[in-house]
Amino acid sequence: MRLLLRSAAAGPPDFPLHHFWCLAEQRCCCSLVCLLHLPAPQISSPSILLATKLNFYTFKDKFIMEGSKISVDEDDLEPEEPKAEDCCGEGCNPCVYDIYRNQLKKYQSRKIQVETSISLGLSQTDFLPFQLIEIKDELEDTAIYRFQSIDLIELGIGKHLELKVPLIGDIVDDKPNFVDRKYSPIAWTSNTFDVIVKRYENGPASEYLARSKVGDTMQWRGPYGDFQYEKTSQEVQLILCAGTGIAPMIPIISSILENEHDETVLKLYCGCPTLKSRLLLSKLKEFAAFWNFSFTHFVTSDEGEPDWGEKVVRRRIEEIDIQNAIENATKCRVLICGPDSFCDDMKNFVTKVGANFYCF
């Protein structure tokens, strides 16, 4: 049981209204990692907003703010697995384990599909601060950056964010002193997100990120994008990407594979110049453990040899490859992401086959 309170008048002036104080633990419980380490508010007549057992690990469990109250949908709370002594062993129909499995399916399905209505750490109009908390090298010229907000954030598959990149040097009066760069998160929690960034020579964002270090604060806004995934009549999802165009595909693939009710067959064709330039290869191999996912890299260089079991084609993706992958155009949807020239070629190929496509 956790008792949470919020008070505008009696609490410390720097205690934000959207944070919630746990009386038992004497700390803010708005998220797993809250940057607020404040003393307990001095409240003479605290207003108890909620007394229940809640999972504060993630707000994907759908907390809904209604004025100064909080409501929780029971279907959004993870069910507790029955203990051995809860089952009588007499073959009851339904058994307590049958009930648990049905509740768990509902919970897992809603966890994927339901997006929280609370997103205080992101705005589509204003850049807001995020702290860089981790940098992990993926390749020599590519790294994964993890950012954290002190507030809750809302993201969805197929969405992208914009990074505010300050410009260095002389600035013309009638022009902004920054540029923005778009990145699709490859993973996120209730207050963090990861982006994969390739560094380009003389690129403003590349130079900005190259100078960055853990602990720095950067400005982000969003999310943007109109992509929506619905399991309808498609039996095959063909994914065509090149370079960092794989970024928006990772959460989409993950959400489909984690949904046991979605048996869409996923085929990923990824173009890259060399074997060493393949991004997120370990993640793709994890996905390959699922029966309905396969991936092929189309590599233009003849250098190097792939590991055992890796499917590599030594050329660019061609129209014949798409024709072979799409057996029935009416039951296949295609996702495309990459450089403009790559996207133009892929859209042309897919149009000839007659399949529906979405280009990021």
Side-chain angles (χ1 to χ4, degrees):
M1 291 291 235
R2 297 191 182 198
L3 301 182
L4 302 179
L5 59 87
R6 184 180 72 173
S7 173
D14 55 349
F15 191 79
L17 292 181
H18 51 270
H19 290 261
F20 299 92
W21 191 262
C22 178
L23 295 180
E25 299 183 16
Q26 293 292 289
R27 69 179 182 87
C28 182
C29 290
C30 70
S31 63
L32 176 64
V33 182
C34 180
L35 300 183
L36 294 175
H37 299 286
L38 304 174
Q42 301 300 314
I43 299 179
S44 56
S45 300
S47 172
I48 303 302
L49 300 181
L50 182 63
T52 184
K53 57 177 183 178
L54 296 177
N55 175 10
F56 283 89
Y57 179 79
T58 171
F59 266 73
K60 286 186 181 298
D61 286 329
K62 197 165 176 70
F63 295 75
I64 306 175
M65 296 181 66
E66 298 174 350
S68 61
K69 297 181 179 180
I70 302 176
S71 65
V72 180
D73 189 330
E74 289 188 1
D75 286 341
D76 294 317
L77 298 178
E78 185 170 3
E80 294 184 7
E81 184 174 2
K83 298 177 182 178
E85 57 267 26
D86 293 333
C87 177
C88 66
E90 297 295 328
C92 300
N93 186 16
C95 173
V96 291
Y97 285 103
D98 295 329
I99 296 173
Y100 166 71
R101 282 190 288 268
N102 289 334
Q103 291 176 338
L104 186 61
K105 286 180 180 179
K106 291 181 180 179
Y107 166 77
Q108 291 173 337
S109 178
R110 287 178 63 86
K111 190 173 183 180
I112 293 171
Q113 297 174 7
V114 175
E115 293 185 354
T116 174
S117 62
I118 304 175
S119 185
L120 301 165
L122 277 171
S123 167
Q124 290 188 330
T125 55
D126 300 320
F127 286 102
L128 298 178
F130 281 77
Q131 185 179 47
L132 177 59
I133 62 173
E134 184 180 342
I135 303 174
K136 181 181 178 182
D137 289 333
E138 173 73 11
L139 301 175
E140 289 184 1
D141 61 350
T142 308
I144 297 173
Y145 294 79
R146 176 167 294 174
F147 292 89
Q148 182 182 63
S149 171
I150 65 171
D151 293 314
L152 303 175
I153 62 173
E154 174 189 348
L155 290 171
I157 61 173
K159 309 299 183 183
H160 69 268
L161 302 173
E162 290 184 353
L163 171 66
K164 183 178 183 179
V165 181
L167 295 176
I168 300 176
D170 296 332
I171 304 299
V172 180
D173 291 340
D174 60 349
K175 292 185 178 180
N177 63 346
F178 70 91
V179 294
D180 59 71
R181 291 292 183 266
K182 299 175 176 60
Y183 296 98
S184 296
I186 59 173
W188 57 84
T189 67
S190 61
N191 69 333
T192 69
F193 65 86
D194 298 352
V195 292
I196 186 166
V197 180
K198 182 176 181 178
R199 295 181 289 272
Y200 294 94
E201 187 175 355
N202 299 322
S206 297
E207 294 178 353
Y208 179 49
L209 290 167
R211 297 191 304 270
S212 67
K213 59 184 182 301
V214 171
D216 287 352
T217 297
M218 299 185 182
Q219 306 288 319
W220 291 86
R221 69 183 178 189
Y224 307 100
D226 59 359
F227 175 81
Q228 297 288 335
Y229 175 80
E230 293 183 2
K231 171 58 179 173
T232 53
S233 62
Q234 82 271 12
E235 296 177 356
V236 176
Q237 186 92 61
L238 177 60
I239 300 172
L240 308 173
C241 59
T244 53
I246 195 174
M249 307 305 185
I250 295 297
I252 296 171
I253 296 170
S254 181
S255 68
I256 295 173
L257 295 179
E258 291 175 1
N259 184 356
E260 64 180 28
H261 303 293
D262 193 338
E263 297 186 348
T264 300
V265 174
L266 298 162
K267 299 179 181 180
L268 171 67
Y269 287 177
C270 187
C272 47
T274 67
L275 287 175
K276 292 183 179 180
S277 65
R278 293 176 294 174
L279 297 175
L280 302 173
L281 183 59
S282 60
K283 190 66 178 177
L284 296 181
K285 290 183 177 180
E286 289 180 18
F287 289 155
F290 289 83
W291 68 270
N292 54 334
F293 177 80
S294 63
F295 68 97
T296 302
H297 282 99
F298 288 76
V299 180
T300 53
S301 170
D302 292 330
E303 297 179 0
E305 290 297 329
D307 291 339
W308 184 86
E310 295 177 352
K311 190 171 182 181
V312 173
V313 178
R314 300 285 188 168
R315 55 174 172 77
R316 290 182 171 85
I317 302 173
E318 298 177 354
E319 183 178 342
I320 186 64
D321 302 307
I322 296 174
Q323 291 176 350
N324 292 336
I326 302 177
E327 297 178 0
N328 186 337
T330 62
K331 295 186 177 182
C332 178
R333 191 186 187 196
V334 183
L335 302 180
I336 303 170
C337 190
D340 290 342
S341 59
F342 172 86
C343 291
D344 289 342
D345 288 340
M346 296 304 107
K347 287 188 287 186
N348 183 41
F349 296 157
V350 174
T351 300
K352 290 181 179 179
V353 176
N356 292 324
F357 67 83
Y358 182 94
C359 187
F360 292 91

